[in-house]
Amino acid sequence: MIGDGDMADKKRSLTGDRPTGRLHIGHYFGSLQNRVKMQDDDSIERFVMIADVQALTDNFNNPQKVRDNVYQVLLDYLSVGIDPEKTTIFLQSMVPELAELTVYYSNLVTIARLERNPTVKTEIAQKKDVFGESVTYGFLGYPVSQAADITAFEGELVPVGEDQLPLIEQCREIVRKFNSIYGDTLVEPKAVLPESANERRLVGIDGGAKMSLNKRIKGLDGNEKMGKSLGNAIYLSDSEEEITKKVMGAVTDPGRIKKDDLGNPDICMVAYYHGLFTNPEDVKIVCQECREGKRGCVACKKQLAANIIKKLEPIREKRKYYEERPELLDEILINGTKKAQEIAKETMRKVKANMKLNYFDK
Ligand code: TRP
Ligand code: SF4
């Protein structure tokens, strides 16, 4: 129940993903791992939202894709260890208060401000195929809807990747504006970026150079971004064969033709991925042998593929467990959504009261 004494000093965290595709290892290192780790912290009440409404903003003409991916993303969550007993998993579209809040917040944001949001700006530029020359009202306004998601749950902590920072900032502005006009009502959120756990894994790829921790994980082809359309990502649900095939096709130091050519692991994606999946001592050996021309690329890739397969094996097994029990999936979503609805209703009541919209309340 909301308002329980023991909940009073708990902070809430809210985060989510658009169900537009299966999740890949970039998501894993970027945020999933962090969410699983946060589950041990009793001072936080956690919510994870499958953002189907937001997914529709640029997939409005493909509802089946969104629906199918709701279940794929849920399976990804469960398979990495997001535990529905510890984290409330819910569906955005099933909490209509979020849409209602979006309408009220939309008065507090200008078009110019939305157009300046760097995340939205980049996305619009990338989505010319969807929007043509003029972006929809819904897509331009999704930061407003995201502010509704966060504030409906008084989500003080928002664990996200770096790309989401402009959205959190926009949410904070909406909160301040709302509170200044209608009185103190909403909680200002803070972003929680993926932290040192990643740094530890990433340091020492070449025994020295330090990879930056909040950056996205690059694709197997060296592209800054990992994605389905680019074909350069390893999905959490990939089979052993798919993983091996993808690793064998990864971009290596182009200067190495023969095994005894001296290599440069700094420009090799296989070395980069060893940094994520291979233990630090072995990473040092990989880089050293590569530089000295004592290591063949094929063997190096095989070693990497084996390490990735091993790391993802428990994830694949857990996924299989849930795939074989689809009734559990609906049960998890229904229970989580019920809990989310209660909290959103409570926020809505406060918001409407302060906006003088509480007509029939006694
Ligand atoms: N924008 C997020 C993404 O691109 C999804 C999302 C929707 C979200 N609502 C949120 C993230 C609220 C954090 C908090 O995947
Ligand atoms: Fe990359 Fe390994 Fe080949 Fe060196 S030996 S270039 S690290 S694949």
Side-chain angles (χ1 to χ4, degrees), residues 81-94:
I82 294 182
D83 175 354
E85 300 286 321
K86 297 180 179 166
T87 299
T88 303
I89 305 174
F90 71 98
L91 259 177
Q92 188 181 21
S93 63
M94 294 305 286

Side-chain angles (χ1 to χ4, degrees), residues 17-76:
D17 299 277
R18 294 180 195 173
T20 54
R22 293 175 296 147
L23 303 181
H24 51 59
I25 56 168
H27 297 112
Y28 183 73
F29 289 110
S31 70
L32 295 174
Q33 205 182 30
N34 209 23
R35 292 184 204 169
V36 173
K37 229 175 54 199
M38 264 174 69
Q39 290 187 144
D40 299 328
D41 186 342
D42 284 338
S43 69
I44 302 174
E45 199 189 357
R46 290 159 295 266
F47 293 82
V48 174
M49 181 181 79
I50 304 184
D52 56 347
V53 176
Q54 193 176 108
L56 283 166
T57 59
D58 58 337
N59 290 276
F60 51 84
N61 50 8
N62 210 345
Q64 191 64 45
K65 169 180 161 191
V66 174
R67 180 153 183 146
D68 292 343
N69 280 310
V70 163
Y71 288 94
Q72 291 303 322
V73 168
L74 178 59
L75 283 167
D76 285 325

Side-chain angles (χ1 to χ4, degrees), residues 81-351:
I82 294 182
D83 175 354
E85 300 286 321
K86 297 180 179 166
T87 299
T88 303
I89 305 174
F90 71 98
L91 259 177
Q92 188 181 21
S93 63
M94 294 305 286
V95 185
E97 285 76 12
L98 300 176
E100 205 177 348
L101 280 175
T102 304
V103 173
Y104 299 141
Y105 294 173
S106 64
N107 294 328
L108 309 177
V109 186
T110 65
I111 303 284
R113 175 66 182 87
L114 289 168
E115 284 171 342
R116 272 202 311 273
N117 183 311
T119 306
V120 178
K121 216 166 149 176
T122 315
E123 285 172 321
I124 292 175
Q126 286 164 350
K127 291 174 202 283
K128 282 264 189 297
D129 55 324
V130 186
F131 298 124
E133 283 317 301
S134 184
V135 68
T136 60
Y137 166 66
F139 190 83
L140 183 65
Y142 93 73
V144 184
S145 142
Q146 188 154 327
D149 305 335
I150 296 167
T151 53
F153 299 95
E154 305 189 326
E156 240 177 289
L157 307 174
V158 190
V160 285
E162 211 179 27
D163 63 318
Q164 296 287 304
L165 291 179
L167 292 152
I168 311 298
E169 189 46 43
Q170 186 128 40
C171 176
R172 291 163 62 89
E173 283 174 31
I174 291 172
V175 168
R176 288 196 290 266
K177 188 129 188 203
F178 190 103
N179 289 346
S180 75
I181 299 172
Y182 305 111
D184 219 5
T185 319
L186 305 171
V187 179
E188 233 180 283
K190 276 195 235 44
V192 185
L193 290 169
E195 33 92 357
S196 46
N198 285 351
E199 188 172 31
R200 250 179 284 129
R201 306 255 344 135
L202 287 165
V203 169
I205 175 160
D206 60 353
K210 187 166 148 180
M211 272 191 245
S212 154
L213 67 150
N214 287 325
K215 291 279 175 287
R216 279 180 206 277
I217 310 282
K218 289 186 197 150
L220 287 165
D221 56 355
N223 198 306
E224 291 297 329
K225 205 176 159 199
M226 220 184 271
K228 191 157 55 189
S229 52
L230 300 163
N232 62 357
I234 292 173
Y235 290 89
L236 296 170
S237 49
D238 275 350
S239 66
E240 297 191 10
E241 296 73 37
E242 283 166 316
I243 295 171
T244 307
K245 197 167 146 236
K246 286 177 183 175
V247 172
M248 295 319 277
V251 169
T252 56
D253 173 359
R256 285 198 90 208
I257 315 237
K258 295 191 297 324
K259 184 182 163 197
D260 50 8
D261 288 337
L262 305 188
N264 180 5
D266 293 342
I267 56 171
C268 172
M269 292 319 293
V270 176
Y272 174 87
Y273 273 80
H274 270 299
L276 294 166
F277 287 96
T278 303
N279 73 56
E281 295 86 72
D282 288 351
V283 175
K284 266 192 200 139
I285 298 172
V286 166
C287 294
Q288 202 177 335
E289 288 184 354
C290 174
R291 286 184 203 286
E292 292 168 0
K294 289 184 181 152
R295 161 171 284 261
C297 290
V298 173
C300 191
K301 286 174 173 174
K302 283 196 177 143
Q303 183 189 352
L304 172 63
N307 289 349
I308 297 179
I309 288 167
K310 191 157 158 241
K311 169 97 182 184
L312 298 186
E313 193 179 323
I315 296 178
R316 268 196 312 277
E317 267 168 25
K318 219 157 177 194
R319 186 186 188 89
K320 191 153 162 273
Y321 173 89
Y322 283 103
E323 273 171 348
E324 286 164 358
R325 292 165 182 78
E327 68 290 351
L328 273 184
L329 299 182
D330 278 332
E331 196 182 306
I332 289 165
L333 279 183
I334 291 170
N335 289 340
T337 300
K338 270 191 199 141
K339 188 166 172 200
Q341 282 166 342
E342 275 181 42
I343 295 166
K345 279 208 175 85
E346 180 65 18
T347 307
M348 203 65 229
R349 201 189 50 72
K350 284 191 233 165
V351 163

